[in-house]
Amino acid sequence: MAKKKFLSIEEKRSWLAGIFRDTSGEYSQADKFKAMIEDTRLAMLAEEAEKGAQSIAMPGMPAELLAHLPPPLNSD
């Protein structure tokens, strides 16, 4: 199996949480603050992507209902 080329958002957030919660003194307060800001940005991106996927389905129709519909028929 081919290796993944990029880290997932969850992997990035986990790494940033390690920086933010560091107690060994390896990271400065500025580094922790930057990690917090980047984590917030990634959380917002994930939330927007989730909302975008739901809104693409159909306005006014929950995505859960659409998941139960059969695939469209080809009109060829």
Side-chain angles (χ1 to χ4, degrees), residues 26-62:
E26 182 178 353
Y27 298 102
S28 69
Q29 291 296 324
D31 291 334
K32 291 179 181 185
F33 184 72
K34 290 175 189 176
M36 182 181 64
I37 290 172
E38 187 63 21
D39 180 61
T40 303
R41 188 182 71 79
L42 287 172
M44 290 173 54
L45 282 174
E47 186 177 318
E48 287 175 10
E50 185 178 309
K51 283 182 183 177
Q54 289 177 354
S55 68
I56 289 174
M58 274 190 156
M61 182 170 282

Side-chain angles (χ1 to χ4, degrees):
M1 187 164 106
K3 290 186 178 181
K4 294 188 303 183
K5 191 172 184 178
F6 301 106
L7 295 173
S8 68
I9 289 178
E10 292 83 19
E11 291 170 326
K12 291 176 185 178
R13 292 190 71 203
S14 176
W15 179 73
L16 290 167
I19 293 172
F20 184 72
R21 294 186 176 114
D22 174 60
T23 57
S24 67
E26 182 178 353
Y27 298 102
S28 69
Q29 291 296 324
D31 291 334
K32 291 179 181 185
F33 184 72
K34 290 175 189 176
M36 182 181 64
I37 290 172
E38 187 63 21
D39 180 61
T40 303
R41 188 182 71 79
L42 287 172
M44 290 173 54
L45 282 174
E47 186 177 318
E48 287 175 10
E50 185 178 309
K51 283 182 183 177
Q54 289 177 354
S55 68
I56 289 174
M58 274 190 156
M61 182 170 282
E64 297 85 31
L65 290 177
L66 292 176
H68 297 289
L69 295 176
L73 299 173
N74 290 336
S75 61
D76 294 332

